[in-house]
Amino acid sequence: MDEQFIKRLITTIKCGICGHPYEGSNVRILGHRDDLWFLSVFCPACHSQGLMAAVIKEGSLPELVTDLTEEEYARFYPLAVVGADDVLDIHNFLRDFDGDFSRLFSKE
Ligand SMILES: [Zn+2]
């Protein structure tokens, strides 16, 4: 599987925000494990940026893997990606968390 092939396949996918088709130059390949590819895409029309996980098998069109609904996708797609600081925050939170969710969510 060569990268040019991946980039060509990406042009069959449209931006989740504005519907503009992606171009090969809007895609950065982050890496892959077997048929699962991780891509960073940039929309030239609305300038939104996102991460994409795609199962790409030779001889088939890419299939977008997400458990988000269309509304959630539209809401979360333009947001900043999770960074090291976010992971540290949740790490610190979990370190001190006693597991009492009912107390956590009743706290206003
Ligand atoms: Zn767009």
Side-chain angles (χ1 to χ4, degrees), residues 15 17-20 43 45-48:
C15 169
I17 304 297
C18 73
H20 188 87
C43 175
C46 71
H47 301 137
S48 64

Side-chain angles (χ1 to χ4, degrees), residues 28-33 36-39 52:
R28 202 156 55 88
I29 296 166
L30 303 175
H32 74 101
R33 175 161 289 182
L36 182 61
W37 288 73
F38 296 96
L39 313 164
M52 190 181 282

Side-chain angles (χ1 to χ4, degrees), residues 34-97:
D34 301 325
D35 291 333
L36 182 61
W37 288 73
F38 296 96
L39 313 164
S40 167
V41 290
F42 172 79
C43 175
C46 71
H47 301 137
S48 64
Q49 207 163 1
L51 286 176
M52 190 181 282
V55 175
I56 303 174
K57 291 182 182 158
E58 210 118 23
S60 69
L61 290 176
E63 173 190 341
L64 187 61
V65 180
T66 177
D67 58 357
L68 298 180
T69 64
E70 225 166 278
E71 291 77 30
E72 288 169 334
Y73 185 73
R75 184 172 148 216
F76 292 120
Y77 191 80
L79 300 180
V81 296
V82 174
D85 286 346
D86 302 309
V87 176
L88 269 178
D89 283 349
I90 198 75
H91 170 82
N92 288 334
F93 169 77
L94 287 173
R95 193 186 47 204
D96 302 329
F97 184 51

